[in-house]
Amino acid sequence: MSSAPSCRACGSKNTRARGSQRRPSSPLPFIYHACDDCQFLFVEPVTPDSVYDDAYYDGRGVDPMVNYRAEYENYRGTDRLSEFEDLLGLATRHLSRGEAPRGGSDVHWLDFGCGAGGLLKFLRDSAAVETPLGQRQLKVMGSDVGSYSQRLRTEAGFDVRSPEELALLPDGSFDIISAIEVIEHIAEPGPVMRLLARLLKPGGLLLLTTGNLASPMARWRGLKFGYCMPEIHISLFCPATLCRLYGDAGLIPEWVRYRGVITFKVLKSAGSPRRRWLLRHALRLPGFRSFVDLLYGTSAMPCARRP
Ligand SMILES: [Zn+2]
């Protein structure tokens, strides 16, 4: 008798085990469950939040690709700067359009899952955005559970709230909410999506990135796809799953074309300085970034706006 769990995204019982992975950090294998109704892929068991300690943020934890310490100390010296500039550009374009929120002169921006605060610092340093209606000041807030959130509050003076504190904020608090590579770390995405949807102003934009499990690379690699890190990536999405999640939360999918976000992903994966140098040059070739985008389905994953 199968004891397949209900889907953690849509609640359907129409799920099946798709495979398992063993990892040195866990005595038990991690099981991937696929939902046949919403295409969500979710991992059991779920690793406790304590995995997000200082070692994790320094790249000595389960994900060697992150180095948030460098980002915390000097984000301008890291490759993530291209990602931050891309996100601010996308937000600025959105704010320049007719359906964007118009109330108030400031742009209230929540970075949900702010990690070591690189994007918060970039936004604070950027200070303002230029829109057809004039210059608007950026007011930033972060939210996270990791070891850096306290440091960002006390050492860097940021307004960083826990998810529980976010839930106490009034409806429509933000023009822009970013959730960059964060939703894959959350066991039940539905309540979080409803919270973010409620906190967006009408016309506000949710800038969300996460791996695309329906991309050509993911289909080719299966559970060997690099994004399958079951200790931390416990919720895995494809465009259809995201669209359904947005719809259930009252949001409308919105597709954007990423550039700097893809540049960062390419350089982050380089490994050695020589490969990084080669990739940096490859990114200048016409079509290379678009090819990577197609392969990994980055821009195929929708963002969302509140109607
Ligand atoms: Zn489902």
Side-chain angles (χ1 to χ4, degrees), residues 81 89 109 126 135 158 173 175 185 191 202 217 247 264 270 301:
L81 185 59
W109 184 318
S126 300
Q135 195 180 68
F158 281 105
S173 293
D175 302 84
H185 299 270
M217 183 59 94
F264 168 62
M301 293 295 267

Side-chain angles (χ1 to χ4, degrees), residues 5 7 38-39 45 58-59 76 85 89 94 111 136 141 166 206 243 254 277-278 296:
C7 174
C38 76
Q39 323 307 320
D58 294 350
R76 289 207 169 267
E85 286 170 342
H94 181 79
D111 187 29
R136 297 178 66 183
M141 184 189 286
L166 276 190
L206 172 65
C243 286
E254 175 112 342
W277 181 86
L278 283 170
Y296 286 89

Side-chain angles (χ1 to χ4, degrees), residues 7-12 15 35-40 244:
C7 174
R8 291 203 305 248
C10 75
S12 166
T15 64
C35 174
D36 285 330
D37 284 341
C38 76
Q39 323 307 320
F40 186 52
R244 179 164 170 166

Side-chain angles (χ1 to χ4, degrees), residues 73-210:
E73 285 164 359
N74 176 23
Y75 72 85
R76 289 207 169 267
T78 72
D79 294 324
R80 280 202 84 177
L81 185 59
S82 59
E83 179 180 79
F84 298 158
E85 286 170 342
D86 197 9
L87 295 170
L88 181 58
L90 291 167
T92 304
R93 275 198 284 288
H94 181 79
L95 292 166
S96 302
R97 286 162 49 181
E99 69 266 34
R102 286 173 180 274
S105 58
D106 295 334
V107 172
H108 292 270
W109 184 318
L110 169 68
D111 187 29
F112 182 78
C114 59
L119 180 57
L120 290 180
K121 288 181 176 180
F122 170 76
L123 294 172
R124 183 163 71 181
D125 291 349
S126 300
V129 289
E130 292 292 341
T131 72
L133 296 173
Q135 195 180 68
R136 297 178 66 183
Q137 299 299 310
L138 285 166
K139 302 286 179 195
V140 297
M141 184 189 286
S143 176
D144 214 327
V145 296
S147 64
Y148 270 84
S149 48
Q150 186 61 28
R151 204 171 295 182
L152 284 166
R153 259 183 231 117
T154 54
E155 292 176 19
F158 281 105
D159 188 353
V160 179
R161 312 279 178 104
S162 68
E164 293 75 25
E165 289 169 323
L166 276 190
L168 302 174
L169 294 177
D171 288 8
S173 293
F174 299 100
D175 302 84
I176 306 288
I177 298 179
S178 45
I180 307 306
E181 305 297 303
V182 55
I183 198 166
E184 65 276 8
H185 299 270
I186 294 169
E188 287 189 28
V192 167
M193 195 56 74
R194 288 193 289 278
L195 170 65
L196 299 184
R198 183 180 74 71
L199 291 175
L200 267 184
K201 291 179 188 175
L205 177 68
L206 172 65
L207 282 167
L208 183 146
T209 67
T210 187

